[in-house]
Amino acid sequence: QVQLVESGGGLVQPGGSLRLSCAASESVFSFNALGWYRQAPEKERELVAAITNGDSTNYADSVKGRFTISRDNAKNTLYLQMNSLKPEDTAVYYCYADRRWGNFVRYWGQGTQVTVSS
């Protein structure tokens, strides 16, 4: 069973930075795509950023120019660098990994809280 473990969340002031990590129990290169969702209180879960195994990336309009998704294949880890954080970025952030070996399976991490507040 694939396991994804997030870390790096916390409390940060507006304008600050955080880097989220998502450590996978298997090679990140074995997944077709990886990414990050977030869910704020009383809001639907939204896609923040995604990266394919061909290194194509896409971002939500609300984070373009501020967030960067990347992965380290040697460390089996996915990252989300978040700069210029705003209070509206406050949410639980979840990493995911997609695998298409015949059928489609999406694996999820347990989530990490990010709070942007002064």
Side-chain angles (χ1 to χ4, degrees):
Q1 179 70 16
V2 173
Q3 292 186 336
L4 303 174
V5 179
E6 297 108 331
S7 61
L11 173 64
V12 63
Q13 292 187 344
S17 298
L18 283 174
R19 188 177 78 159
L20 304 184
S21 300
C22 174
S25 58
E26 299 181 17
S27 169
V28 293
F29 196 69
S30 71
F31 300 105
N32 299 88
L34 305 105
W36 296 89
Y37 274 78
R38 68 185 179 187
Q39 186 164 21
E42 300 182 357
K43 292 189 176 180
E44 293 187 357
R45 189 175 291 194
E46 65 169 342
L47 179 65
V48 176
I51 184 167
T52 70
N53 59 7
D55 286 335
S56 295
T57 59
N58 68 283
Y59 297 90
D61 288 343
S62 59
V63 307
K64 282 180 181 176
R66 300 188 298 123
F67 290 11
T68 303
I69 189 171
S70 64
R71 64 171 183 221
D72 186 328
N73 293 335
K75 295 183 178 179
N76 295 336
T77 302
L78 176 72
Y79 300 102
L80 184 68
Q81 178 67 44
M82 305 186 295
N83 299 328
S84 302
L85 283 162
K86 304 175 182 180
E88 51 263 44
D89 295 317
T90 296
V92 178
Y93 285 70
Y94 300 88
C95 68
Y96 73 88
D98 292 343
R99 179 168 284 162
R100 295 182 178 88
W101 289 357
N103 59 332
F104 172 81
V105 178
R106 173 166 286 182
Y107 302 96
W108 290 97
Q110 81 287 355
T112 186
Q113 176 71 47
V114 172
T115 303
V116 184
S117 175
S118 55

